[in-house]
Amino acid sequence: MARIVMKFGGTSMAGLERIRASAARVKREVDAGNQVAVVVSAMAGETDRLVNFCREASPLHDNSEYDVVVSSGEQVTAGLLAIVLQSMGVAARSWLGWQLPLHTSATHSAARIRGMDTDGIAETLDSGVVATIPGFQGLTEGGRITTLGRGGSDTSAVAVAAALKADRCDIYTDVDGVYTTDPRIVPRARKLEKITFEEMLELASVGAKVLQTRSVELAMKQHVKLRVLSSFRDVPGTDIVAEEEIGEHFVEDQLITGIAYNRAEAEVTLTRVADKPGSVAAIFKPLAANEVNVDMIIQNIADADGRTDVTFTVPRTEVPRVMDMLAAVQDEIGYESASYNDRVAKLSVVGVGMKSHTGVAATMFTALGERGINIDSITTSEIKISVLIAEEYVELAVRVLHSAYGLDDEEAAA
Amino acid sequence: MARIVMKFGGTSMAGLERIRASAARVKREVDAGNQVAVVVSAMAGETDRLVNFCREASPLHDNSEYDVVVSSGEQVTAGLLAIVLQSMGVAARSWLGWQLPLHTSATHSAARIRGMDTDGIAETLDSGVVATIPGFQGLTEGGRITTLGRGGSDTSAVAVAAALKADRCDIYTDVDGVYTTDPRIVPRARKLEKITFEEMLELASVGAKVLQTRSVELAMKQHVKLRVLSSFRDVPGTDIVAEEEIGEHFVEDQLITGIAYNRAEAEVTLTRVADKPGSVAAIFKPLAANEVNVDMIIQNIADADGRTDVTFTVPRTEVPRVMDMLAAVQDEIGYESASYNDRVAKLSVVGVGMKSHTGVAATMFTALGERGINIDSITTSEIKISVLIAEEYVELAVRVLHSAYGLDDEEAAA
């Protein structure tokens, strides 16, 4: 017997037919003798409807009341799933965020999970009853409802799994696992059997949106075994595990785990920045104060004049604000010119295998160069190499790299 | 300064425009220096939508989960009203049923109110903040959500008013008060300035659906001053008060307060029932066991054979079931024949004035007789006379009685 947490997203809860299909998956685990807690999202579209009500009520709404309104969507699906499970002969009851309770910070609409009481729900599970839990919601010390931010139900599921010391946490979603890259661009993309937490985080942060980044971070920290699998098809999913569990042959066989791309960013360049202590801080302090999310930062060594160019990327939607902020601090920083390019794409190859192998970067640069794709700028981490290229080349570049690293699934349709 | 409870129904919460109009009424009371708690219904149509989800999930759904699902509608409007009030510069926060808490029995989907803690909400009100409270919902001792049954938000409002010792409880609705009769039938119907709790109960029970009957009963028992008024028009409403507060001149001037009708019932007659102890019980026991709501019961004295006819009314929709039940106990009861008539209407004249005046019944019978309207059967209470007549005469009969008792508003359009 195992204790497992299952999580179903909005498309798996969109209407009674889908809820019944999800319930059938829960029943299968129960029939196999497992204790099951199920974390659910709101019906697809429902959270948007509720968020829009709040915006219509006031553009500057009180986030504590926003949380009261939008948390109701998951309350509905948790109740309905319990009813459907009962109709299939599976004992079930709902445990709302305030009933557990799942404790959070008081940062309404973007609360952080602090922990969860398990006495009540453990009794439910131990007596063979399935617990249905609305994701996305928690309770402050002051007894008010919070929500965790959009997509927070993945994080709820991991937190519940950690608190319950569950044997695993299965995330059911509308894709059937994590792929080597976007199958819409590369039909030969392969589904990964396993991926490490670190690789998953790098892929998520560059735009492969299978799981909420926070949920992966939490699972890594709390040693929760995560699995991503399809709500709609009975096929094996992808396990997200610690590096030591990935198995030696994996790392040997495969230098690169996945290739991600992101075309939502723009590149900003400041020329001839004085290379002196504090000048880089002067660039990024106003951006941080205005909550602009800066991603890549590239600075090369200074020239003979003691000046250097600084390039960084920001979300495209923020470019007008960012250019204004930079203009305001030009005298302080002492740069020559500020320019931006919003026709760039970021391309990243990710893999724990590259830690112990050389030549990964060379393969990338060679493959791109052979196709005449120019590399604008480069950054690297221990398990990732990212480059900026002209946006128009992004599909070609992903396909070229997918082949170059031997990731193509030879059995899949070309 | 007064402490008041305001209650807005589903049509007053149907969308942000309506919520803003309701909020403006709240603001007016706050600006007048009053402490205000607002009890709200779900948006019109929302509870039906949620109930249908539960039915679709399972026809025999668990009512404790039904309560989790359907209570969410009021949670949404309570949060939205707080946001809208804040946007108008009125400090506000929501207090959900489990936060107050409003204690109820554990009879899910039809819970009875046991009481309400006032410490938290009183602090809110005393600090000049408006409390927005979802109606219809409460909490069991075991910490689970309950609902009070359809239309329960009126009852929630009265319970909140009683617990807070509010100076009055204003029920905003889509009619602008209680009328002497249905204005769709009698254009000269007059809006009543005042009506007693007892009269209101008698009118409600015969089909004048302005307030939920339970809410009037609770207000009477808890000495809550009730007022019904329009959400949409700025006109005086109707006060529902104890008999001693109605004012002597009212009773003197006006024998009859209102006239109600009901065409949802059918008349069932059993002929030649043995007039012996237990035979009437034998008729009504199976009906009660099957939760058939029996309204009027008429039995005359027995004839020389020791036999009598028994007539009673039941909801028309129940007639087939009732006839089956009666057939099953024919031998036991020993009646001769069972028949029904579902083309009847019940007509009731109600007024505390009739307690101290004679001739009220005579006026009724004369007025109906003059128009050739035959009376099938008659029952009376201290403040009500009800008759069954053929359904086709109902509009005519209401108009005739409205004039006969001097209720016509001479200034209104004929």
Side-chain angles (χ1 to χ4, degrees):
Chain A
M1 189 207 75
R3 180 181 274 185
I4 59 181
V5 172
M6 304 173 78
K7 186 259 167 178
F8 292 94
T11 50
S12 314
M13 287 284 128
L16 266 300
E17 201 185 320
R18 293 278 179 86
I19 294 178
R20 265 188 261 278
S22 301
R25 292 186 185 278
V26 175
K27 179 171 166 36
R28 207 157 59 183
E29 297 290 358
V30 172
D31 289 348
N34 296 314
Q35 287 190 357
V36 184
V38 193
V39 175
V40 296
S41 297
M43 294 189 189
E46 182 64 11
T47 304
D48 285 339
R49 188 177 82 103
L50 296 166
V51 168
N52 285 337
F53 278 146
C54 293
R55 291 196 180 137
E56 215 188 315
S58 171
L60 295 165
H61 47 254
D62 174 0
N63 279 332
S64 59
E65 298 301 339
Y66 165 97
D67 285 348
V68 168
V69 173
V70 300
S71 64
S72 67
E74 282 76 9
Q75 179 170 328
V76 168
T77 47
L80 290 177
L81 178 60
I83 293 174
V84 169
L85 283 168
Q86 291 168 2
S87 76
M88 293 177 171
V90 177
R93 73 152 278 193
S94 60
W95 276 95
L96 305 182
W98 58 267
Q99 286 172 325
L100 289 164
L102 186 109
H103 304 284
T104 73
S105 69
T107 316
H108 285 283
S109 85
R112 309 286 301 179
I113 295 175
R114 294 259 166 86
M116 186 181 110
D117 291 1
T118 56
D119 292 356
I121 188 176
E123 204 176 302
T124 297
L125 298 178
D126 287 340
S127 63
V129 176
V130 170
T132 65
I133 302 170
F136 182 53
Q137 63 180 236
L139 189 72
T140 67
E141 239 174 81
R144 307 224 39 199
I145 294 180
T146 51
T147 64
L148 308 180
R150 294 303 292 269
S153 290
D154 287 346
T155 307
S156 299
V158 173
V160 169
L164 290 174
K165 303 190 196 324
D167 295 281
R168 61 174 207 269
C169 179
D170 290 350
I171 311 280
Y172 287 83
T173 169
D174 47 4
V175 298
D176 59 6
V178 182
Y179 278 74
T180 48
T181 193
D182 186 344
R184 289 170 302 182
I185 290 183
V186 182
R188 287 183 171 182
R190 279 190 301 111
K191 186 164 62 187
L192 296 161
E193 195 182 319
K194 290 186 185 178
I195 185 172
T196 67
F197 289 119
E198 293 83 355
E199 289 170 330
M200 191 68 199
L201 284 173
E202 292 286 11
L203 286 174
S205 69
V206 289
K209 293 194 188 68
V210 179
L211 286 180
Q212 208 204 12
T213 304
R214 277 168 72 190
S215 68
V216 181
E217 285 170 359
L218 188 62
M220 182 163 73
K221 204 157 37 178
Q222 299 277 339
H223 309 290
V224 171
K225 285 189 190 170
L226 265 184
R227 178 180 293 176
V228 173
L229 59 185
S230 169
S231 290
F232 307 114
R233 297 170 55 212
D234 266 325
V235 291
T238 301
D239 286 346
I240 302 144
V241 297
E243 198 175 329
E244 54 273 24
E245 290 174 57
I246 202 107
E248 194 57 35
H249 69 285
F250 254 80
V251 178
E252 293 295 313
D253 291 356
Q254 204 180 288
L255 291 179
I256 294 304
T257 303
I259 300 170
Y261 64 94
N262 179 349
R263 33 186 156 197
E265 294 189 8
E267 176 187 48
V268 176
T269 301
L270 299 182
T271 58
R272 295 187 60 73
V273 177
D275 184 23
K276 62 178 186 205
S279 62
V280 175
I283 297 171
F284 295 109
K285 238 165 67 181
L287 301 186
N290 286 285
E291 296 189 359
V292 174
N293 198 1
V294 176
D295 182 21
M296 292 170 80
I297 299 176
I298 302 130
Q299 182 195 330
N300 219 322
I301 57 167
D303 61 16
D305 298 347
R307 298 202 164 251
T308 181
D309 296 349
V310 175
T311 295
F312 55 90
T313 60
V314 295
R316 278 186 200 173
T317 50
E318 301 280 17
V319 166
R321 283 176 66 210
V322 167
M323 297 311 285
D324 286 349
M325 289 174 216
L326 292 173
V329 292
Q330 180 165 14
D331 289 347
E332 185 186 345
I333 303 171
Y335 63 81
E336 189 175 284
S337 72
S339 61
Y340 70 90
N341 178 2
D342 59 3
R343 307 299 305 276
V344 294
K346 185 168 66 172
L347 206 63
S348 304
V349 299
V350 173
V352 291
M354 71 174 77
K355 282 191 197 176
S356 51
H357 282 76
T358 54
V360 175
T363 303
M364 184 178 196
F365 305 153
T366 307
L368 294 177
E370 282 175 359
R371 302 297 169 119
I373 301 171
N374 190 48
I375 296 172
D376 238 32
S377 44
I378 305 170
T379 54
T380 62
S381 79
E382 272 224 301
I383 64 167
K384 182 180 72 168
I385 306 169
S386 296
V387 297
L388 285 182
I389 61 172
E391 185 182 0
E392 55 191 341
Y393 288 108
V394 67
E395 292 91 351
L396 174 62
V398 170
R399 280 194 294 268
V400 163
L401 294 179
H402 203 264
S403 293
Y405 288 111
L407 295 174
D408 289 351
D409 182 352
E410 297 306 332
E411 287 166 32
Chain B
M1 191 207 73
R3 181 180 271 185
I4 59 181
V5 172
M6 304 172 77
K7 187 259 166 179
F8 292 94
T11 51
S12 314
M13 287 285 128
L16 267 298
E17 202 185 320
R18 294 277 178 85
I19 294 178
R20 265 187 261 277
S22 302
R25 292 186 185 279
V26 175
K27 178 172 166 41
R28 206 156 61 183
E29 297 290 359
V30 172
D31 289 346
N34 295 314
Q35 287 190 356
V36 184
V38 192
V39 176
V40 296
S41 297
M43 294 189 190
E46 181 65 10
T47 304
D48 284 340
R49 188 177 82 104
L50 295 166
V51 168
N52 285 336
F53 277 145
C54 293
R55 291 194 181 137
E56 214 187 314
S58 171
L60 295 166
H61 48 253
D62 175 0
N63 279 331
S64 59
E65 298 300 339
Y66 166 96
D67 285 348
V68 168
V69 174
V70 300
S71 64
S72 67
E74 283 75 11
Q75 179 171 328
V76 169
T77 47
L80 290 177
L81 179 60
I83 292 174
V84 169
L85 283 168
Q86 291 167 2
S87 77
M88 293 177 171
V90 177
R93 73 152 278 192
S94 60
W95 276 95
L96 305 182
W98 58 268
Q99 286 172 325
L100 288 164
L102 186 108
H103 304 284
T104 74
S105 69
T107 317
H108 285 283
S109 86
R112 309 287 301 180
I113 295 175
R114 294 259 167 85
M116 186 181 109
D117 291 1
T118 55
D119 292 355
I121 188 176
E123 204 176 302
T124 297
L125 297 178
D126 288 340
S127 64
V129 176
V130 170
T132 66
I133 302 170
F136 182 54
Q137 63 180 237
L139 188 72
T140 67
E141 239 174 80
R144 307 231 29 205
I145 294 180
T146 51
T147 64
L148 308 180
R150 294 303 292 269
S153 290
D154 288 345
T155 307
S156 299
V158 172
V160 169
L164 290 174
K165 303 190 196 326
D167 295 281
R168 62 176 207 270
C169 180
D170 291 349
I171 311 279
Y172 287 83
T173 170
D174 47 3
V175 298
D176 59 7
V178 182
Y179 278 75
T180 48
T181 194
D182 186 343
R184 289 169 303 181
I185 291 183
V186 182
R188 287 183 172 182
R190 280 190 300 110
K191 186 163 63 187
L192 295 161
E193 195 182 320
K194 289 185 185 179
I195 185 171
T196 68
F197 289 119
E198 293 82 355
E199 290 169 331
M200 191 68 199
L201 285 173
E202 292 287 12
L203 287 174
S205 69
V206 289
K209 291 194 190 70
V210 179
L211 286 180
Q212 208 203 11
T213 304
R214 276 168 73 190
S215 69
V216 181
E217 285 170 1
L218 188 62
M220 182 163 74
K221 203 157 38 177
Q222 299 278 340
H223 309 291
V224 172
K225 285 189 188 168
L226 265 184
R227 179 179 294 175
V228 173
L229 58 185
S230 169
S231 291
F232 306 115
R233 295 171 54 212
D234 267 324
V235 290
T238 300
D239 285 347
I240 301 144
V241 297
E243 197 176 329
E244 54 274 22
E245 291 173 57
I246 202 107
E248 195 57 34
H249 69 284
F250 254 80
V251 177
E252 293 294 314
D253 291 355
Q254 203 181 291
L255 291 180
I256 294 303
T257 303
I259 300 171
Y261 64 93
N262 180 352
R263 35 186 156 195
E265 295 189 7
E267 176 186 49
V268 176
T269 300
L270 298 183
T271 59
R272 296 185 59 73
V273 176
D275 184 24
K276 63 178 185 206
S279 62
V280 174
I283 296 171
F284 295 109
K285 237 166 68 182
L287 301 187
N290 286 285
E291 295 188 0
V292 175
N293 198 2
V294 176
D295 182 21
M296 293 171 79
I297 300 176
I298 302 129
Q299 181 194 333
N300 219 321
I301 57 166
D303 61 15
D305 298 346
R307 296 201 166 253
T308 181
D309 296 347
V310 175
T311 295
F312 55 91
T313 61
V314 294
R316 279 186 199 173
T317 50
E318 301 278 17
V319 166
R321 283 177 66 210
V322 167
M323 297 310 284
D324 285 350
M325 290 174 217
L326 292 173
V329 293
Q330 181 165 14
D331 290 347
E332 185 188 346
I333 303 172
Y335 63 81
E336 189 174 283
S337 73
S339 61
Y340 70 90
N341 177 3
D342 60 2
R343 307 300 305 276
V344 294
K346 185 167 67 172
L347 206 64
S348 304
V349 299
V350 173
V352 291
M354 72 173 75
K355 282 190 196 176
S356 52
H357 283 77
T358 54
V360 174
T363 302
M364 184 178 198
F365 305 153
T366 306
L368 294 179
E370 282 175 359
R371 302 297 169 116
I373 302 171
N374 189 48
I375 296 170
D376 240 32
S377 43
I378 304 171
T379 54
T380 61
S381 78
E382 272 224 300
I383 64 167
K384 181 179 72 167
I385 306 169
S386 295
V387 298
L388 284 182
I389 61 172
E391 185 183 0
E392 55 191 341
Y393 289 107
V394 68
E395 292 91 351
L396 174 62
V398 170
R399 279 193 296 266
V400 163
L401 294 179
H402 203 262
S403 293
Y405 289 112
L407 294 174
D408 289 351
D409 183 351
E410 297 306 333
E411 288 167 31

